[in-house]
Amino acid sequence: MTKIEKIVLSYSGGLDTSIILKWLQETYGCEVVTFTADLGQGEELEAVRAKAKMSRVKDIRIVDLREEFVRDFVFPMLRANALYEGQYLLGSSIARPLIAKHLVGLAREVGADAVAHGATGKGNDQVRFELAVNALDPSIEIIAPWRKWNIRSRMQLLEYAEKHHIPVPSDKRGEAPFSIDANLLHTSTEGKILENPAEVAPDHVYQRTVDPVDAPDTPEIITIGFERGDPVSVNGKAMTPAALLTELNGLGGRHGVGRLDLVENRFIGMKSRGIYETPGGTILLTAHRGIESITLDRAAAHLKDEIMPRYAELIYNGFWFAPEREMLQALIDQSQAFVSGEVTLRLYKGSASVISRTSPCSLYSADLVTFEESAIAFDHHDAEGFIRLNGLRLRNWAARNGR
Ligand code: ARG
């Protein structure tokens, strides 16, 4: 084993990474630099600095990545209408390559030879972090303490914390908290009672959306502006990507939009159950499909829908920085050249529904589709021939079957 001189740790200040920090310092006897990204998780980041300081970290980095996160990761993914297994908006999956990118950048800057993360050995996140680091800088070593040390359970983790006087957080009820991952796109909650998919999730797991039952009785109408596939304004007000998503999270949360109780298939092999809250993302997905519905050609739209599950799976499995994801992205991005205009939605008791859409680049032709007399020449005899030719093989097939 080559001697490690300096490690950059992806540090949240939570229980796991606090213990990992201690363990790295003891095991490797070298300097550990902590890296904490502000992705809009809504945590007090100055408290994180204080914690790192208490653990004698000299180089503490806390970086606001909210705009980069939404502009360069969330929005490109949204252009594809990406959903994993038909439902999951990939809120945790899409944050990992961004964090990995900055871990690698910082490792180079401070001359570290390794990066470390606190993802456990059973989850997707370890795969995503490490595949991204591999793709960005194969010379950097990766330390995954959860796969190295002999702590095997949360119970043993708590014992280690006690022994080393590391404070153990508890939730508002004084219980050990759920496993939570939050950022501007979503809050994901896993573990404890949720591990039994037969159990109904208790009300207190939800953090940023009200129960649709308790949402306002009056619907709220909002308009989202799009330019070349990306949302740029809410109710006529131009906003930066992070500000826009923050605004929609507030609106959606108040109306109970974007809750999901899901059993998903992890890349690593097992099924897992989690609760997701993605208020702004859910509104944006619906709105984006709305603006695409009038601006995309049929075949272009259908091709996008064909590749979408594959693209979403690549992100879920950690292949953001892989050539095939970049190839699909190029295809998706090219499709968005005319995806501009405005979509109006109604938020009401957990739903976000499109109620109108307009675009200067619309392909929609009222003249063509109208039930009334039309100015555009459409020869109804063409439809007759169209059906006759499409039906040719069906008539042939039915005759052979003796129908
Ligand atoms: N299962 C989700 C995913 O793989 C979320 C993982 C992180 N969430 C958590 N609560 N630890 O993307």
PDB file of all heavy atoms in Angstrom, residues 88 92-93 124-125 128 179-181 188-190 264 276 316, ligand 1:
ATOM      1  N   TYR A  88     -38.924   8.127 -10.489  1.00  0.00           N
ATOM      2  CA  TYR A  88     -37.958   8.831  -9.625  1.00  0.00           C
ATOM      3  C   TYR A  88     -37.217   9.917 -10.410  1.00  0.00           C
ATOM      4  O   TYR A  88     -36.593   9.642 -11.431  1.00  0.00           O
ATOM      5  CB  TYR A  88     -36.992   7.799  -9.023  1.00  0.00           C
ATOM      6  CG  TYR A  88     -35.803   8.351  -8.274  1.00  0.00           C
ATOM      7  CD1 TYR A  88     -35.903   9.476  -7.466  1.00  0.00           C
ATOM      8  CD2 TYR A  88     -34.566   7.692  -8.341  1.00  0.00           C
ATOM      9  CE1 TYR A  88     -34.798   9.947  -6.766  1.00  0.00           C
ATOM     10  CE2 TYR A  88     -33.465   8.147  -7.648  1.00  0.00           C
ATOM     11  CZ  TYR A  88     -33.580   9.286  -6.861  1.00  0.00           C
ATOM     12  OH  TYR A  88     -32.492   9.752  -6.168  1.00  0.00           O
ATOM     13  N   SER A  92     -30.981  12.567  -5.840  1.00  0.00           N
ATOM     14  CA  SER A  92     -29.680  12.251  -5.228  1.00  0.00           C
ATOM     15  C   SER A  92     -28.668  11.884  -6.299  1.00  0.00           C
ATOM     16  O   SER A  92     -27.509  12.294  -6.249  1.00  0.00           O
ATOM     17  CB  SER A  92     -29.796  11.063  -4.256  1.00  0.00           C
ATOM     18  OG  SER A  92     -30.558  11.417  -3.129  1.00  0.00           O
ATOM     19  N   SER A  93     -29.136  11.117  -7.277  1.00  0.00           N
ATOM     20  CA  SER A  93     -28.240  10.608  -8.326  1.00  0.00           C
ATOM     21  C   SER A  93     -27.500  11.730  -9.039  1.00  0.00           C
ATOM     22  O   SER A  93     -26.309  11.626  -9.313  1.00  0.00           O
ATOM     23  CB  SER A  93     -29.042   9.819  -9.362  1.00  0.00           C
ATOM     24  OG  SER A  93     -30.146   9.182  -8.772  1.00  0.00           O
ATOM     25  N   ASN A 124     -26.244   3.113  -3.849  1.00  0.00           N
ATOM     26  CA  ASN A 124     -25.861   3.578  -5.183  1.00  0.00           C
ATOM     27  C   ASN A 124     -24.801   4.673  -5.127  1.00  0.00           C
ATOM     28  O   ASN A 124     -24.020   4.830  -6.058  1.00  0.00           O
ATOM     29  CB  ASN A 124     -27.070   4.198  -5.885  1.00  0.00           C
ATOM     30  CG  ASN A 124     -28.157   3.185  -6.181  1.00  0.00           C
ATOM     31  OD1 ASN A 124     -27.881   2.111  -6.717  1.00  0.00           O
ATOM     32  ND2 ASN A 124     -29.387   3.530  -5.839  1.00  0.00           N
ATOM     33  N   ASP A 125     -24.821   5.445  -4.034  1.00  0.00           N
ATOM     34  CA  ASP A 125     -24.008   6.654  -4.022  1.00  0.00           C
ATOM     35  C   ASP A 125     -22.508   6.371  -4.102  1.00  0.00           C
ATOM     36  O   ASP A 125     -21.774   7.101  -4.757  1.00  0.00           O
ATOM     37  CB  ASP A 125     -24.346   7.504  -2.796  1.00  0.00           C
ATOM     38  CG  ASP A 125     -25.698   8.193  -2.958  1.00  0.00           C
ATOM     39  OD1 ASP A 125     -26.067   8.469  -4.116  1.00  0.00           O
ATOM     40  OD2 ASP A 125     -26.377   8.439  -1.952  1.00  0.00           O
ATOM     41  N   ARG A 128     -21.726   5.940  -7.695  1.00  0.00           N
ATOM     42  CA  ARG A 128     -21.766   7.200  -8.441  1.00  0.00           C
ATOM     43  C   ARG A 128     -20.528   8.041  -8.171  1.00  0.00           C
ATOM     44  O   ARG A 128     -19.915   8.576  -9.104  1.00  0.00           O
ATOM     45  CB  ARG A 128     -23.016   7.983  -8.050  1.00  0.00           C
ATOM     46  CG  ARG A 128     -24.300   7.266  -8.409  1.00  0.00           C
ATOM     47  CD  ARG A 128     -25.494   7.969  -7.794  1.00  0.00           C
ATOM     48  NE  ARG A 128     -26.724   7.242  -8.067  1.00  0.00           N
ATOM     49  CZ  ARG A 128     -27.760   7.181  -7.245  1.00  0.00           C
ATOM     50  NH1 ARG A 128     -27.715   7.819  -6.083  1.00  0.00           N
ATOM     51  NH2 ARG A 128     -28.834   6.507  -7.572  1.00  0.00           N
ATOM     52  N   SER A 179     -32.223   8.188   7.377  1.00  0.00           N
ATOM     53  CA  SER A 179     -31.152   8.542   6.450  1.00  0.00           C
ATOM     54  C   SER A 179     -31.757   9.518   5.436  1.00  0.00           C
ATOM     55  O   SER A 179     -32.651   9.165   4.681  1.00  0.00           O
ATOM     56  CB  SER A 179     -30.634   7.289   5.747  1.00  0.00           C
ATOM     57  OG  SER A 179     -29.835   7.676   4.655  1.00  0.00           O
ATOM     58  N   ILE A 180     -31.252  10.756   5.467  1.00  0.00           N
ATOM     59  CA  ILE A 180     -31.844  11.807   4.634  1.00  0.00           C
ATOM     60  C   ILE A 180     -30.798  12.381   3.688  1.00  0.00           C
ATOM     61  O   ILE A 180     -29.651  12.603   4.076  1.00  0.00           O
ATOM     62  CB  ILE A 180     -32.425  12.932   5.523  1.00  0.00           C
ATOM     63  CG1 ILE A 180     -33.623  12.389   6.321  1.00  0.00           C
ATOM     64  CG2 ILE A 180     -32.844  14.135   4.682  1.00  0.00           C
ATOM     65  CD1 ILE A 180     -34.132  13.331   7.371  1.00  0.00           C
ATOM     66  N   ASP A 181     -31.165  12.573   2.446  1.00  0.00           N
ATOM     67  CA  ASP A 181     -30.298  13.292   1.517  1.00  0.00           C
ATOM     68  C   ASP A 181     -31.135  14.398   0.891  1.00  0.00           C
ATOM     69  O   ASP A 181     -32.154  14.126   0.253  1.00  0.00           O
ATOM     70  CB  ASP A 181     -29.763  12.349   0.430  1.00  0.00           C
ATOM     71  CG  ASP A 181     -28.855  13.103  -0.529  1.00  0.00           C
ATOM     72  OD1 ASP A 181     -27.932  13.789  -0.051  1.00  0.00           O
ATOM     73  OD2 ASP A 181     -29.077  13.028  -1.758  1.00  0.00           O
ATOM     74  N   SER A 188     -34.715  13.079   0.072  1.00  0.00           N
ATOM     75  CA  SER A 188     -34.918  11.637   0.027  1.00  0.00           C
ATOM     76  C   SER A 188     -34.784  11.111   1.443  1.00  0.00           C
ATOM     77  O   SER A 188     -33.858  11.470   2.164  1.00  0.00           O
ATOM     78  CB  SER A 188     -33.845  11.025  -0.878  1.00  0.00           C
ATOM     79  OG  SER A 188     -33.464   9.750  -0.416  1.00  0.00           O
ATOM     80  N   THR A 189     -35.731  10.270   1.849  1.00  0.00           N
ATOM     81  CA  THR A 189     -35.692   9.716   3.195  1.00  0.00           C
ATOM     82  C   THR A 189     -35.760   8.199   3.113  1.00  0.00           C
ATOM     83  O   THR A 189     -36.643   7.653   2.443  1.00  0.00           O
ATOM     84  CB  THR A 189     -36.868  10.258   4.045  1.00  0.00           C
ATOM     85  OG1 THR A 189     -36.902  11.683   3.914  1.00  0.00           O
ATOM     86  CG2 THR A 189     -36.717   9.894   5.497  1.00  0.00           C
ATOM     87  N   GLU A 190     -34.818   7.543   3.791  1.00  0.00           N
ATOM     88  CA  GLU A 190     -34.763   6.074   3.783  1.00  0.00           C
ATOM     89  C   GLU A 190     -34.466   5.570   5.187  1.00  0.00           C
ATOM     90  O   GLU A 190     -34.067   6.325   6.057  1.00  0.00           O
ATOM     91  CB  GLU A 190     -33.658   5.582   2.821  1.00  0.00           C
ATOM     92  CG  GLU A 190     -33.924   5.898   1.363  1.00  0.00           C
ATOM     93  CD  GLU A 190     -32.776   5.479   0.423  1.00  0.00           C
ATOM     94  OE1 GLU A 190     -31.728   5.030   0.918  1.00  0.00           O
ATOM     95  OE2 GLU A 190     -32.958   5.607  -0.795  1.00  0.00           O
ATOM     96  N   GLU A 264     -37.619   1.001  -5.311  1.00  0.00           N
ATOM     97  CA  GLU A 264     -36.799   1.081  -6.528  1.00  0.00           C
ATOM     98  C   GLU A 264     -35.758  -0.034  -6.549  1.00  0.00           C
ATOM     99  O   GLU A 264     -35.452  -0.630  -5.514  1.00  0.00           O
ATOM    100  CB  GLU A 264     -36.089   2.437  -6.584  1.00  0.00           C
ATOM    101  CG  GLU A 264     -34.908   2.542  -5.623  1.00  0.00           C
ATOM    102  CD  GLU A 264     -34.547   3.977  -5.236  1.00  0.00           C
ATOM    103  OE1 GLU A 264     -35.470   4.763  -4.923  1.00  0.00           O
ATOM    104  OE2 GLU A 264     -33.341   4.284  -5.230  1.00  0.00           O
ATOM    105  N   TYR A 276     -39.678  10.298  -1.410  1.00  0.00           N
ATOM    106  CA  TYR A 276     -39.072  11.434  -2.107  1.00  0.00           C
ATOM    107  C   TYR A 276     -40.029  12.612  -2.110  1.00  0.00           C
ATOM    108  O   TYR A 276     -41.234  12.442  -2.256  1.00  0.00           O
ATOM    109  CB  TYR A 276     -38.750  11.072  -3.559  1.00  0.00           C
ATOM    110  CG  TYR A 276     -37.733   9.977  -3.692  1.00  0.00           C
ATOM    111  CD1 TYR A 276     -38.107   8.679  -4.031  1.00  0.00           C
ATOM    112  CD2 TYR A 276     -36.393  10.239  -3.467  1.00  0.00           C
ATOM    113  CE1 TYR A 276     -37.166   7.670  -4.154  1.00  0.00           C
ATOM    114  CE2 TYR A 276     -35.440   9.230  -3.577  1.00  0.00           C
ATOM    115  CZ  TYR A 276     -35.840   7.948  -3.924  1.00  0.00           C
ATOM    116  OH  TYR A 276     -34.907   6.959  -4.032  1.00  0.00           O
ATOM    117  N   TYR A 316     -28.788   7.240 -12.922  1.00  0.00           N
ATOM    118  CA  TYR A 316     -29.040   6.491 -11.683  1.00  0.00           C
ATOM    119  C   TYR A 316     -27.829   5.616 -11.324  1.00  0.00           C
ATOM    120  O   TYR A 316     -27.414   5.534 -10.181  1.00  0.00           O
ATOM    121  CB  TYR A 316     -30.285   5.618 -11.848  1.00  0.00           C
ATOM    122  CG  TYR A 316     -30.708   4.942 -10.568  1.00  0.00           C
ATOM    123  CD1 TYR A 316     -31.509   5.605  -9.638  1.00  0.00           C
ATOM    124  CD2 TYR A 316     -30.294   3.634 -10.279  1.00  0.00           C
ATOM    125  CE1 TYR A 316     -31.889   4.986  -8.452  1.00  0.00           C
ATOM    126  CE2 TYR A 316     -30.664   3.015  -9.093  1.00  0.00           C
ATOM    127  CZ  TYR A 316     -31.458   3.690  -8.182  1.00  0.00           C
ATOM    128  OH  TYR A 316     -31.822   3.083  -7.012  1.00  0.00           O
TER     129      TYR A 316
HETATM  130  N1  ARG B   1     -32.184   5.790  -3.310  1.00  0.00           N
HETATM  131  C1  ARG B   1     -31.871   7.080  -3.797  1.00  0.00           C
HETATM  132  C2  ARG B   1     -30.847   7.010  -4.906  1.00  0.00           C
HETATM  133  O1  ARG B   1     -30.188   6.032  -5.025  1.00  0.00           O
HETATM  134  C3  ARG B   1     -31.441   8.039  -2.702  1.00  0.00           C
HETATM  135  C4  ARG B   1     -30.143   7.717  -1.997  1.00  0.00           C
HETATM  136  C5  ARG B   1     -29.693   8.694  -0.944  1.00  0.00           C
HETATM  137  N2  ARG B   1     -30.716   8.951   0.020  1.00  0.00           N
HETATM  138  C6  ARG B   1     -30.661   8.734   1.338  1.00  0.00           C
HETATM  139  N3  ARG B   1     -31.713   8.994   2.036  1.00  0.00           N
HETATM  140  N4  ARG B   1     -29.603   8.248   1.894  1.00  0.00           N
HETATM  141  O2  ARG B   1     -30.664   7.919  -5.681  1.00  0.00           O
END
